[in-house]
Amino acid sequence: MNLFAEYQAKVIEIVEGLARDGVLPSGLGLSRIVVEPPRDRSHGDLATNAAMVLAKDAGMKPRDLAERIVGKLRQDPGVTEAEAAGPGFINIRLKPVLFENVVRAAVLAGPDFGRSAMGAGAKVNVEYVSANPTGPMHVGHCRGAVFGDALANLLAFAGHDVTREYYINDAGAQVDVLARSAYLRYREALGEEIGPIPEGLYPGDYLKPVGEALAKTHGNAFLNRSEREWLEPVRSVAIDAMMAMIREDLKALSIEHAVFFSERSLHEGNASAVGAAIADLSERNLIYQGRLPPPKGSPEADWEDREQTLFKATAFGDDVDRPLLKSDGGYTYFASDIAYHRDKFLRGFKIMIDVWGADHGGYIKRLKAAVTAVTGGEGTLDIEICQLVRLLRDGQEVKMSKRAGTFVTLREVVDEVGPDPVRFMMLYRKNDAPLDFDLAKVVEQSKDNPVFYVQYAHARSASIFRQAKMAYGEASFGQEELASADLSLLADEAEQGIMKLVAQYPRLIDSAAANREPHRVAFYLYEIASSLHALWSKGKEDAALRFVNDKDRELTKARLALVGSLMTVLGSGLKLLGVSAPDEMR
RNA sequence: GAUCCCAUAGCUCAGCCGGAUAGAGCAGCCGCCUUCUAAGCGGCAGGUCGCAGGUUCGAAUCCUGCUGGGAUCGCCA
C-alpha cells in the first residue's frame, strides 16, 4: 500500500496516454518521474516533477505540459485537487479516505506493513563483518556489523532474497601468527615459563583458554616438535576458537550470518578455486607478466623491482594493474578475493554487497574491476564503506591502544550500554560519515537520546492501548475492530500529520533499500516518534484531543487505529534496525 | 605523488538517482505539569550550504579546479 508508487504509476500512465494521443512524443524517459510528499504541506499531499523532467524532450513549456497532466489527474477518483505550481510542479490533493485506508492497511497488515516487492525476489549476497579470526572484535568492527545487518534486513523487507555472509580470513600469514601465539599459550598451559610475549605475536589473554584446550586434548604431543608438525592442527583449533568467540560477540548484537565462507577452502584441492579464477581471467586475456612502478609516498627501502603476474585492472577503471602472486609464489589476498567473489557469482548472486571499514577504501576499485571481469559484466559488486567510530565518554575521547591495554572490545561496549543504543546510534548516521559514540550519552533516558526517544514513543503507544482497555475492557479494540473505525473523526492537524507520515513508510522502505541507507529508517522513526509525542502533549492542553475518551467509544476507536498504525510502523522500523520495541520503559 | 571519503546554523547532523522559502536535535532566550508517563511539548533567535568556475529553465545536490580534515597506497588481511 504505497500511495506514492500508486500515483507515480498513474502519472506515468497519463503521460503514456498523452503520447498515444499524439500530444507528446513517444519514448520519453519516464523513469525520472518522481511522486513525493511536497516539502511544504500547504502544497498538498503529493507533488510530481513529471512536467519538468519531460518538458525538454516533449518540446513543451513545463507549465503547459503540467496543465495537460493536471487535466487528466483531475479525472482520477482519488484526487480532489490538482494544479500546476511554481516552475512546473504538479501538486495533488487526495481524498482523505485514501490516507485513512493506509492507516487501516497498517493496522491489518501489522508487521508486514511496508513490505515491498521492489527486489522482485532477486538474490542478494550481503557480506559483512568478516573480521580476521585472530582475536575478539573491537568497536571498529561494530559499525560495519550493525550496518550490514540492518541493510540485510532492509533489503529482505524490500523483497530481496538475502544471504548474510561472513568471509573467514583463515589463510595467509596472520593466522599462522595466531597459531604460533596459541602454541606459546599451549606451552604455558603445560607449565612452561614463557615470559613476555615476543614482538609480532598476539599477546592477548584470550588465547590462554586455547592453549589450555590444546594441552588437554593433545597432551605434550606437540612439545619440542618442529613447527611443521604442529602448525596446522594448532591453527585449526585456534581459528575455530576465535570464530566461536566472534560469533558470541555478534550474538550479543543479535547478528547471525547464514554462511561462513572459508578463505582457506578456496585454496584446497588440485584444481583450487583461486587457480580456476585466475585461469578464467587468463582466458579473458586479462593477465600478463609485467612490472609495477614503486608506490610513492611510502618507504621504498624494501622495494624490489621484479616482473610479476598482474591482473589488468586498469581495463576496468583501476589506477594500476594488480599482482596476483606474491614473491614467495603464493596467491595474494586479492587473488583469493577474486576467487571468492567469483564463487558468489557462481552460486547465483548477481548482486553482491560488501560492507567494509574505511581503511579498505583503497581496495574498492580493484575488486570491483575484478568482479566485472570475472562475471563478464553480469555481476555487480556494491561496496559500502563505514567510516571510523570515535569512542567517547562524556565528550572525552577514549584512546585505544593495544600496547597501553586500553583496547576496547565490542563486547565490553555492548555489555556496558546494551545492544539497543549501540545498534541505533550506529545507524543514526550516514555510513560514510565518521561517527562519535559517547558511552555516557547513549544510556541517558531523555529526549536528548534518540534511541530512548523512539523507544519511548513505542512504549507510550502501548500505554495508550492499556489505558483504553482499562476504560473499555480487555477485549476491546482488536485489529479488526480498529480497521473498521471511522477515521474521518480524526480532524486535528496533528492527527492528519501522523496519517501522512504513516503513509510514507512504504516509500521510505523502498528508497532506503534502493540507496542502501538504513540510516533513513532511523531518521524517519525519530520523526514519527516526535509526531506522537507532540499529539500527546496537545492532549494535555486540550482534553478533547486525548487518545482515550471514556465518553466517546467511536472517537477512541479512531484514535487507537491511528496510534496502532503508528505503533506498527515504529515496531517495524525498529525491527529492521535490530532494536527492541518495548511496551514499557523501566 | 596518487586514489577514495568528508566539508550545511555556535555544536552534532539530516536534506529522498537536481526542483518550490535549506531542516532537526543540542546549546541560548520565552513559555507549558490539579488531568492518559513533563522520561514530554510549544515558541523565538540562529545559515555567503568550505572557495572559485561550469552544466541547467533550476545546483547544498551533477562536473572541473582549489583549500581544509580523514583513510589508503606491490609481495598484510
Side-chain angles (χ1 to χ4, degrees):
Chain A
M1 180 102 203
N2 184 338
L3 279 180
F4 299 92
E6 269 175 44
Y7 274 85
Q8 181 180 32
K10 288 186 180 192
V11 169
I12 287 174
E13 207 174 296
I14 287 172
V15 170
E16 284 171 341
L18 289 171
R20 276 196 301 275
D21 297 345
V23 178
L24 292 176
S26 55
L28 292 171
L30 303 177
S31 62
R32 289 155 67 210
I33 295 177
V34 175
V35 173
E36 58 190 352
R39 196 181 303 169
D40 188 335
R41 271 194 188 149
S42 67
H43 290 148
D45 299 319
L46 307 175
T48 177
N49 60 355
M52 291 183 288
V53 296
L54 299 177
K56 196 168 193 177
D57 292 339
M60 291 175 73
K61 287 183 186 165
R63 288 294 293 239
D64 295 346
L65 179 50
E67 291 298 345
R68 300 300 297 248
I69 298 173
V70 161
K72 297 281 184 189
L73 273 171
R74 285 189 178 136
Q75 294 165 24
D76 183 88
V79 170
T80 56
E81 198 182 321
E83 58 176 4
F89 280 103
I90 296 168
N91 291 328
I92 304 167
R93 267 175 223 283
L94 298 177
K95 284 190 181 153
V97 68
L98 292 186
F99 288 99
E100 293 166 14
N101 286 343
V102 175
V103 169
R104 258 183 264 285
V107 167
L108 285 175
D112 284 325
F113 178 69
R115 192 178 284 282
S116 147
M118 184 188 81
K123 284 184 74 170
V124 178
N125 185 291
V126 184
E127 181 208 328
Y128 58 108
V129 188
S130 300
N132 289 338
T134 55
M137 307 221 316
H138 55 78
V139 278
H141 295 119
C142 185
R143 189 172 185 187
V146 170
F147 174 83
D149 197 54
L151 178 59
N153 290 343
L154 186 57
L155 289 170
F157 197 59
H160 299 81
D161 177 6
V162 176
T163 297
R164 298 141 194 274
E165 193 151 323
Y166 185 120
Y167 184 47
I168 309 172
N169 299 131
D170 55 359
Q174 293 196 358
V175 283
D176 289 347
V177 172
L178 173 74
R180 291 185 195 107
S181 310
Y183 183 72
L184 203 61
R185 294 300 188 182
Y186 158 75
R187 283 162 50 197
E188 182 182 44
L190 290 173
E192 207 174 307
E193 188 59 54
I194 59 167
I197 307 293
E199 191 75 17
L201 293 187
Y202 297 117
D205 285 349
Y206 57 86
L207 285 172
K208 282 186 178 172
V210 180
E212 282 157 19
L214 283 165
K216 207 169 178 182
T217 45
H218 295 278
N220 51 16
F222 294 144
L223 272 190
N224 303 316
R225 303 285 174 150
S226 75
E227 183 176 296
R228 229 188 14 232
E229 292 174 70
W230 54 256
L231 187 72
E232 236 180 85
V234 169
R235 185 174 60 202
S236 165
V237 168
I239 290 171
D240 286 351
M242 294 303 101
M243 284 310 299
M245 187 168 67
I246 287 171
R247 283 186 209 224
E248 278 299 304
D249 289 353
L250 289 172
K251 209 171 157 190
L253 282 171
S254 44
I255 292 172
E256 231 170 300
H257 293 79
V259 176
F260 285 84
F261 194 100
S262 156
E263 178 188 1
R264 185 165 292 275
S265 72
L266 294 166
H267 297 274
E268 283 163 358
N270 290 329
S272 79
V274 184
I278 292 179
D280 184 335
L281 289 173
S282 200
E283 276 170 37
R284 298 175 195 264
N285 280 322
L286 293 169
I287 292 192
Y288 69 102
Q289 301 294 313
R291 292 173 190 278
L292 286 178
K296 295 184 176 169
S298 59
E300 296 176 33
D302 56 347
W303 171 259
E304 174 201 353
D305 188 21
R306 64 180 180 88
E307 186 152 283
Q308 45 191 342
T309 304
L310 299 170
F311 161 59
K312 213 182 276 180
T314 48
F316 303 92
D318 199 0
D319 308 307
V320 287
D321 293 334
R322 305 292 180 175
L324 298 173
L325 293 176
K326 299 191 281 193
S327 52
D328 67 3
Y331 293 118
T332 58
Y333 180 80
F334 180 47
S336 309
D337 227 357
I338 295 173
Y340 175 42
H341 286 81
R342 180 169 176 269
D343 183 89
K344 287 184 190 173
F345 182 69
L346 294 177
R347 278 186 279 145
F349 296 106
K350 287 187 179 171
I351 306 173
M352 306 170 226
I353 300 175
D354 287 8
V355 178
W356 294 353
D359 53 341
H360 288 67
Y363 195 75
I364 295 175
K365 282 187 183 178
R366 80 188 68 168
L367 193 57
K368 285 187 133 181
V371 167
T372 304
V374 90
T375 65
E378 283 184 44
T380 60
L381 172 64
D382 270 352
I383 296 173
E384 301 297 332
I385 288 292
C386 289
Q387 288 295 327
L388 303 180
V389 176
R390 202 159 62 117
L391 200 60
L392 306 174
R393 187 184 296 280
D394 277 325
Q396 291 293 309
E397 183 165 4
V398 180
K399 289 282 182 193
M400 278 183 284
S401 151
K402 280 184 183 173
R403 195 168 299 166
T406 53
F407 184 74
V408 182
T409 64
L410 179 148
R411 198 50 182 276
E412 286 165 341
V413 172
V414 175
D415 286 349
E416 178 174 337
V417 306
D420 286 346
V422 171
R423 292 199 54 129
F424 194 94
M425 292 313 290
M426 293 283 164
L427 294 166
Y428 197 60
R429 178 110 327 161
K430 262 184 318 199
N431 57 292
D432 54 5
L435 167 70
D436 286 351
F437 186 88
D438 195 313
L439 291 165
K441 281 188 184 159
V442 298
V443 293
E444 242 174 59
Q445 301 219 337
S446 78
K447 71 195 182 86
D448 301 349
N449 181 354
V451 189
F452 171 79
Y453 187 83
V454 172
Q455 287 184 318
Y456 181 42
H458 189 273
R460 196 167 240 184
S461 305
S463 159
I464 291 165
F465 274 90
R466 286 193 294 271
Q467 294 293 337
K469 290 186 176 190
M470 267 207 278
Y472 285 101
E474 273 305 311
S476 314
F477 309 122
Q479 257 184 354
E480 299 291 335
E481 190 189 347
L482 291 183
S484 72
D486 176 7
L487 295 168
S488 69
L489 297 171
L490 304 178
D492 190 81
E493 205 179 334
E495 292 170 328
Q496 305 221 331
I498 291 177
M499 281 198 240
K500 288 174 184 178
L501 273 176
V502 169
Q504 281 183 39
Y505 186 65
R507 178 175 183 272
L508 172 93
I509 293 299
D510 280 353
S511 69
N515 291 289
R516 284 103 165 87
E517 291 186 339
H519 76 271
R520 292 191 195 186
V521 177
F523 279 93
Y524 169 85
L525 291 180
Y526 187 89
E527 194 182 349
I528 201 165
S530 171
S531 74
L532 178 78
H533 293 315
L535 181 53
W536 174 284
S537 295
K538 265 188 135 172
K540 284 260 171 207
E541 285 155 24
D542 179 359
L545 281 173
R546 290 195 200 161
F547 296 105
V548 180
N549 183 323
D550 50 20
K551 293 195 183 63
D552 191 338
R553 196 178 200 283
E554 283 308 300
L555 184 59
T556 302
K557 191 163 95 176
R559 296 219 164 111
L560 288 186
L562 181 69
V563 174
S565 70
L566 179 142
M567 195 177 168
T568 294
V569 164
L570 278 174
S572 166
L574 283 170
K575 193 173 177 201
L576 290 175
L577 303 185
V579 177
S580 69
D583 283 344
E584 55 184 338
M585 305 299 280
R586 288 278 170 197

